[in-house]
Amino acid sequence: SAPPPEPITAGSKAAAARARNEARHEVWKQAWTAADRKAQDVIAKLNKASEGYAEALRDQLDRLAEARAAADEILRAHDEERRAALGALHERRSVDIAQRIEASLLRQKAGERLMPSGGETPRGSGDPLKRDLRAHQLEEGFHRLATSILEGSPR
């Protein structure tokens, strides 16, 4: 049968193997501890770097928000100026049209005053039956003039 195991004594092979195994284990344990410390250092550096990167991103976002607010203010001011300019343009156009219509009305009224009373027309046409026709022509002419003024392009 098998020989009994050799007792571990200070000079035996088993003691030498055990010492080698313990030495290897100690080297492995030291290497593991060093690697663990190194990994912890790397993790700490990465965390610090990511915090710095996150802070830089927050700063950049703050600057972008400030720039956007400034751009919004510039656009708002431009819109207000544009509305004011358009309002002034519409007001000038309305005044111009009103003046043109008023001048046309005054010319038309001045032309009506020249017509003699009693149904006679100026320049000796003398046909009292056509008086209403001529009045209608004057009115149509005024409406055409007013329409052309209102629909015409501003000067």
Side-chain angles (χ1 to χ4, degrees):
S1 320
E6 185 180 322
I8 300 178
T9 59
S12 70
K13 287 183 185 180
R18 179 179 236 179
R20 281 192 311 270
N21 284 342
E22 285 178 359
R24 279 190 219 140
H25 178 70
E26 190 59 36
V27 168
W28 175 84
K29 188 177 176 182
Q30 288 173 359
W32 182 263
T33 304
D36 189 44
R37 259 186 270 125
K38 193 171 189 177
Q40 291 298 326
D41 289 345
V42 168
I43 289 171
K45 285 179 185 178
L46 287 174
N47 284 337
K48 188 174 182 178
S50 68
E51 287 172 7
Y53 182 69
E55 185 66 31
L57 284 176
R58 279 191 292 271
D59 290 344
Q60 188 175 8
L61 287 173
D62 289 343
R63 285 191 303 274
L64 288 174
E66 291 169 4
R68 184 177 183 160
D72 286 344
E73 184 60 34
I74 290 169
L75 289 173
R76 226 181 335 272
H78 174 73
D79 287 344
E80 289 174 11
E81 289 173 6
R82 185 73 182 141
R83 269 188 240 119
L86 284 174
L89 176 68
H90 288 299
E91 183 63 30
R92 282 194 310 270
R93 180 163 166 83
S94 296
V95 168
D96 182 46
I97 288 172
Q99 288 173 348
R100 290 165 68 187
I101 290 173
E102 194 174 318
S104 176
L105 280 172
L106 289 175
R107 282 193 305 270
Q108 185 179 7
K109 290 289 182 187
E112 286 177 2
R113 282 191 219 130
L114 293 177
M115 294 183 83
S117 60
E120 296 181 16
T121 58
R123 299 184 195 118
S125 66
D127 190 354
L129 297 176
K130 294 185 180 177
R131 181 175 43 169
D132 290 336
L133 181 61
R134 285 194 185 92
H136 183 67
Q137 280 180 331
L138 282 173
E139 189 176 338
E140 286 293 317
F142 170 74
H143 285 292
R144 279 195 301 273
L145 177 65
T147 302
S148 70
I149 290 171
L150 290 173
E151 293 177 356
S153 62
R155 294 181 188 173

